């Protein structure tokens, strides 16, 4: 059974990571190229996330330098033919699928450019924390290409099809405040505070019952995509499975015997 250390040892040089308790802080580490995503990074993300589990209970994903990511490494597009182009896009799909439907919640810390494939990567995370310097754009049309990292599927679900069309057709750039209003980020913090905020959120996630987090990551999105009748049934089954888990029983007993924290603002 490969260990976390094996997975970390296999990371390409453009990705760095350190484990802080149960939270893995993973960094796009190619600041000279504004964290543009090359094939090695995509492969590295796929391999790391497909093997993640204990002791990691949450991941914080950030970018080194002033930008989260300038998207696809445009120097690698070259003379790819149609078949190679499909394979390339599918490789991004596989990697980002491992992030979205992996074992642990992922929080992206966004700053500076969150552009093209960088925005597609951010959309595969479960929660997005933005710093005030952030700007979001989809310059694919200007470059004569199309989204290929799952953006056509994930982004309309976050901000709506019309807004995505506007971004692609007109090159519209969203800033930090607007981005929060339309749903690109869930939290907005001052520059330099994104990592701390994400870390606090990650520790909260890591403290949840494993099965509840699993249901939120794996079952909730499937319910959303299913017809309502199937969704209600799946929800009922998941609710019954979760409440039968010993972790739930212990946590409920803690509340009733006044040992658990109350909900507070
Ligand atoms: C790059 C890339 C890149 C920077 N691929 N090399 N993405 C884009 O169209 C965004 C293109 N990048 C930019 O608009 C700007 O670089 C930024 C706004 C992100 C940052 O600007 P700035 O002034 O801080 O940096 P810079 O001087 O433009 O770039 C620094 C270096 O990074 C420079 O290389 P150098 O060798 O001259 O130092 C740039 O060429 C390089 N660089 N961005 C390759 N993207 C799965 S499909 C997804 C489709 C897409 O993602 S399309 C969107 C692509």
């Amino acid at each position: 059974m490969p260990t976390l250390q094996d997975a970390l040892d296999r990371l390409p040089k453009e990705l760095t990571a350190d484990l802080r308790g149960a939270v893995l802080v993973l960094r796009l580490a190619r600041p000279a190229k504004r964290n543009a995503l090359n094939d090695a990074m995509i492969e590295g993300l796929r391999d790391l996330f497909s093997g993640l589990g204990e002791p990691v209970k949450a991941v914080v994903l950030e970018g080194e330098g002033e930008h989260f990511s300038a998207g696809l490494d445009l120097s690698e597009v070259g003379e790819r033919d149609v078949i190679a182009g499909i394979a390339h896009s599918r490789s991004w799909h596989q990697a980002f699928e491992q992030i979205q439907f992996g074992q642990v919640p992922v929080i992206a810390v966004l700053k500076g450019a969150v552009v093209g494939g960088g925005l597609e990567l951010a959309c595969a995370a479960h929660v997005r924390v933005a710093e005030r310097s952030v700007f979001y754009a989809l310059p694919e049309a200007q470059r004569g290409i199309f989204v290929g990292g799952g953006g056509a599927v994930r982004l309309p679900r976050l901000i709506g099809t019309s807004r995505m069309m506007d971004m692609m057709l007109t090159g519209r750039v969203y800033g930090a405040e607007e981005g929060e209003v339309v749903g690109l980020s869930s939290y907005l913090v001052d520059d330099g505070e994104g990592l701390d905020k994400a870390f606090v959120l990650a520790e909260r996630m890591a403290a949840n019952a494993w099965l509840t987090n699993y249901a939120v990551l794996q079952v909730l999105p499937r319910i959303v995509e299913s017809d309502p009748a199937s969704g209600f049934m799946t929800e009922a089954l998941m609710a019954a499975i979760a409440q039968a888990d010993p972790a739930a029983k212990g946590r409920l007993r803690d509340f009733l015997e006044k040992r658990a924290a109350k909900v507070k603002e």
Side-chain angles (χ1 to χ4, degrees):
M1 184 77 178
T3 64
L4 175 65
Q5 197 52 53
D6 294 334
L8 297 182
D9 289 345
R10 279 198 309 272
L11 284 177
K13 63 181 186 320
E14 300 92 338
L15 295 174
T16 60
D18 55 279
L19 188 62
R20 304 186 194 171
V23 180
L24 186 73
V25 179
L26 175 62
R27 226 165 284 105
L28 308 174
R30 207 187 173 205
K33 296 288 179 189
R34 308 309 185 246
N35 297 321
L37 298 162
N38 60 21
D39 290 349
M41 293 163 84
I42 296 300
E43 211 176 291
L45 289 170
R46 183 200 62 205
D47 290 350
L48 179 68
F49 279 95
S50 58
L52 271 193
E54 287 290 340
V56 178
K57 291 204 167 79
V59 172
V60 171
L61 173 64
E62 63 161 352
E64 202 177 306
E66 289 172 13
H67 302 276
F68 176 70
S69 172
L72 173 69
D73 183 336
L74 295 169
S75 71
E76 283 193 348
V77 180
E79 299 303 309
R80 240 183 239 140
D81 64 15
V82 170
I83 292 174
I86 293 172
H88 180 262
S89 170
R90 298 298 285 156
S91 74
W92 281 54
H93 292 164
Q94 283 159 9
F96 292 3
E97 174 99 1
Q98 295 301 327
I99 297 174
Q100 185 181 0
F101 291 108
Q103 299 280 324
V104 294
V106 180
I107 305 167
V109 181
L110 307 179
K111 61 184 165 182
V114 181
V115 165
L119 178 55
E120 295 181 281
L121 171 59
C123 290
H126 305 101
V127 173
R128 282 157 293 280
V129 175
E131 296 188 354
R132 292 204 179 272
S133 65
V134 78
F135 57 96
Y136 309 92
L138 291 172
E140 278 81 352
Q142 283 139 269
R143 314 274 177 244
I145 55 179
F146 191 62
V147 285
V153 173
R154 294 192 182 93
L155 198 50
R157 285 168 166 76
L158 276 182
I159 65 171
T161 308
S162 174
R163 283 201 186 91
M164 180 170 176
M165 284 180 166
D166 182 18
M167 289 177 82
M168 291 200 74
L169 292 172
T170 69
R172 178 171 182 167
V173 178
Y174 279 97
E177 278 82 14
E178 266 186 326
E180 193 188 25
V181 170
V182 301
L184 287 166
S185 73
S186 304
Y187 297 89
L188 182 56
V189 297
D190 285 335
D191 289 343
E193 292 180 1
L195 184 60
D196 285 350
K197 178 70 185 178
F199 201 77
V200 169
L201 299 173
E203 285 193 310
R204 265 189 229 162
M205 294 172 176
N208 292 337
W210 183 87
L211 192 55
T212 310
N213 277 0
Y214 187 80
V216 171
L217 299 186
Q218 304 287 337
V219 182
L220 174 61
R222 265 91 183 201
I223 290 175
V224 174
E225 297 298 335
S226 65
D227 66 280
S230 307
F232 288 130
M233 192 61 209
T234 309
E235 181 190 80
L237 294 174
M238 190 61 238
I241 293 168
Q243 76 183 28
D245 193 67
K249 299 210 177 301
R251 284 164 185 254
L252 294 170
R253 207 177 313 114
D254 284 347
F255 177 76
L256 295 173
E257 294 171 6
K258 315 273 184 224
R259 286 190 299 272
K262 289 185 188 181
V263 175
K264 53 180 188 300
E265 278 183 82

